Amino acid sequence: MRKTYPLQAQGKKHPDRVLDAVKHDIRRYFRRERGRPLPEGVDFWDFDCKVGATADSAETVQVSEVIATVDALAQTGIDAVYVEILGKHGVRTPRPPKIDTPAESPSQD
């Protein structure tokens, strides 16, 4: 998804309601993409995200920071926010095995 959301709606919509609608649309997109069937050999859907005032000034952010970044940009008073979310395949890497050290046995006198 590559989309520019206007933050100032014409008419009588309050800017806070417009911002809520933008955040709802972003969350809905994540839900819809995560619900798609996974291809063979893939563990989860991962996303490359960029957020900014324009497409040229958009910076890479983590999935968990997309909504907070949109909020922060809206507080600056800009007219629109650019959001780019591209889904990709995610494969979990196994945890390294835990190395157990032998417990010291109590000495017998």
Side-chain angles (χ1 to χ4, degrees):
M1 168 179 81
R2 292 181 179 109
K3 192 168 183 179
T4 301
Y5 290 100
L7 297 177
Q8 305 295 327
Q10 295 178 356
K12 298 185 181 203
K13 279 191 174 179
H14 194 275
D16 290 343
R17 299 298 72 79
V18 175
L19 180 61
D20 286 343
V22 168
K23 292 189 291 186
H24 176 74
D25 191 45
I26 293 169
R27 287 183 185 115
R28 186 176 59 192
Y29 181 78
F30 279 128
R31 261 194 318 269
R32 183 173 60 238
E33 289 298 304
R34 286 183 177 133
R36 289 185 2 204
L38 292 170
E40 189 70 32
V42 175
D43 294 326
F44 63 97
W45 288 109
D46 197 9
F47 300 95
D48 289 330
C49 306
K50 289 185 178 182
V51 178
T54 63
D56 297 331
S57 67
E59 295 181 3
T60 303
V61 295
Q62 293 181 349
V63 174
S64 60
E65 299 172 350
V66 171
I67 299 297
T69 306
V70 169
D71 268 337
L73 286 171
Q75 297 302 319
T76 64
I78 61 173
D79 293 334
V81 63
Y82 174 78
V83 178
E84 179 178 318
I85 303 170
L86 302 175
K88 63 180 182 179
H89 301 155
V91 179
R92 297 195 195 288
T93 56
R95 239 182 235 180
K98 190 174 184 181
I99 300 173
D100 292 331
T101 58
E104 292 187 28
S105 59
S107 61
Q108 295 180 351
D109 294 325

